[in-house]
Amino acid sequence: MIGKYGIEIYNNKIHYEFEVKRNITIIQGDSATGKTTLIGLVADYGRLGAGSGITLKCDKECLVLPAVRWKEFIRDSHECIIFVEENLPFIKSKEFAESVNYSDNYFVIVYRDSLPALAYSIEEIYGIREDRDSQKYVNAKRVYNSFYNIYNLDNE
Amino acid sequence: MIRDVDKSEVIGPHLIESPVLGPISQRELSGGVKTLILINNDIEHIFNGSACGDNCAKWLIEIGKQKDVTVRLGYFMSFGDESFEAKVVNTNKIVHSGAELDREIIDNDLL
């Protein structure tokens, strides 16, 4: 799988819009910025579809990696965007790295520690913040979140 | 801590009002603030400080001023300019700032 894929996911309370450009995207940053909520939206949409009250717009299927039988899940998924939440005990394992590196899926991983067994770019490490200053959302009842590069190489 | 980190108000023992999610239970609090609460109230276990973002650092320092706690930390948490005293268990070195802690981690290849 190659290329950039836009993802827009929202319900009546919160909205995320971002782009994944490479096979591994890392989400880090402050606590309570909506990382787990994002994963929850993807999971709920996966279970219930439009009946969840969630809208998901993406050219590729978005999935959440389960805690059990995860190797089979990765092996049996193709050209999907797989979200990985931070509490999973196998994230730093060699087996997980091998599964990811040999997979044709994209991965969005919420994790603060380094993952030396995975080859990811410093440019694909993001935080999430509320889009407060956009004139588009001045009177919005929904909270709009955007991604930002944690390591802003443009200023260096 | 809940007000500062999650920007939420505790209404009662089982209800918190979140500005984004609305009324939530303790379960929907951020992982960072839940970990801080556990660190503060359960001294028998060592909790994973990597569940806490940089915005939890000042609370870790505050908890450390009240009691001795041991925390596992797997990333370079930013403690800003605050002074504190912490023992790096891996090397037995006492550090007094985030910069000293970072130096100790780098010099000893702890991450």
Side-chain angles (χ1 to χ4, degrees), chain A residues 4-16:
Chain A
K4 299 180 187 180
Y5 297 93
I7 299 171
E8 186 179 3
I9 183 167
Y10 56 92
N11 62 13
N12 65 333
K13 289 186 173 148
I14 196 159
H15 178 283
Y16 298 84

Side-chain angles (χ1 to χ4, degrees), chain A residues 13-14 29-32 112-113, chain B residues 5-6 21 50-51 53 55 72 74:
Chain A
K13 289 186 173 148
I14 196 159
D30 281 354
S31 292
R112 287 194 182 86
D113 293 359
Chain B
V5 177
D6 282 28
L21 303 177
S50 290
N55 55 337
R72 180 263 176 198

Side-chain angles (χ1 to χ4, degrees), chain B residues 13-79:
Chain B
H14 304 291
L15 180 64
I16 293 120
E17 184 72 30
S18 160
V20 176
L21 303 177
I24 60 172
S25 71
Q26 307 93 308
R27 193 171 174 167
E28 284 116 324
L29 289 170
S30 69
V33 86
K34 284 190 288 193
T35 302
L36 285 173
I37 292 170
L38 287 168
I39 291 170
N40 191 40
N41 291 284
D42 180 350
I43 60 171
E44 291 185 11
H45 294 90
I46 298 174
F47 293 98
N48 184 10
S50 290
C52 303
D54 290 341
N55 55 337
C56 298
K58 63 182 179 190
W59 291 106
L60 270 181
I61 293 173
E62 202 55 42
I63 292 169
K65 288 178 184 172
Q66 309 297 327
K67 62 185 84 169
D68 282 342
V69 293
T70 302
V71 174
R72 180 263 176 198
L73 193 58
Y75 80 101
F76 289 94
M77 180 180 275
S78 173
F79 289 92

Side-chain angles (χ1 to χ4, degrees), chain A residues 13 25 27 30 35 54 75 81 85 87 91 95 97 100 106 115 129 142 152:
Chain A
K13 289 186 173 148
T25 300
I27 303 179
D30 281 354
K35 301 182 291 297
I54 296 164
R75 183 195 63 209
I81 299 172
E85 56 184 326
N87 295 326
I91 285 186
E95 291 76 15
V100 168
Y106 274 19
L115 294 164
R129 63 183 165 206
R142 188 186 280 139
N152 190 348

Side-chain angles (χ1 to χ4, degrees), chain A residues 16-150:
Chain A
Y16 298 84
E17 187 165 7
F18 56 99
E19 198 174 59
V20 292
K21 301 169 192 158
R22 300 186 192 188
N23 66 324
I24 298 172
T25 300
I26 304 291
I27 303 179
Q28 298 177 340
D30 281 354
S31 292
T33 51
K35 301 182 291 297
T36 302
T37 299
L38 168 62
I39 303 248
L41 288 182
V42 177
D44 286 347
Y45 184 85
R47 278 198 299 276
L48 303 169
S52 63
I54 296 164
T55 302
L56 172 58
K57 298 178 185 175
C58 183
D59 290 340
K60 294 291 181 183
E61 187 176 8
C62 294
L63 306 166
V64 174
L65 187 68
V68 292
R69 301 180 63 82
W70 54 269
K71 279 190 204 173
E72 292 83 352
F73 188 92
I74 293 175
R75 183 195 63 209
D76 296 340
S77 301
H78 297 285
E79 301 220 346
C80 298
I81 299 172
I82 298 177
F83 288 74
V84 184
E85 56 184 326
E86 64 184 322
N87 295 326
L88 298 177
F90 50 78
I91 285 186
K92 294 193 88 161
S93 71
K94 186 181 163 192
E95 291 76 15
F96 178 68
E98 283 176 355
S99 292
V100 168
N101 289 334
Y102 288 106
S103 167
D104 61 353
N105 298 295
Y106 274 19
F107 292 84
V108 178
I109 303 172
V110 177
Y111 207 65
R112 287 194 182 86
D113 293 359
S114 63
L115 294 164
L118 292 176
Y120 55 92
S121 167
I122 195 173
E123 293 176 332
E124 300 312 315
I125 301 175
Y126 296 92
I128 299 176
R129 63 183 165 206
E130 192 175 325
D131 202 356
R132 289 179 185 274
D133 295 329
S134 170
Q135 290 300 310
K136 282 168 67 177
Y137 310 124
V138 168
N139 294 314
K141 292 180 183 176
R142 188 186 280 139
V143 173
Y144 287 79
N145 288 323
S146 60
F147 279 31
Y148 67 96
N149 287 95
I150 294 263

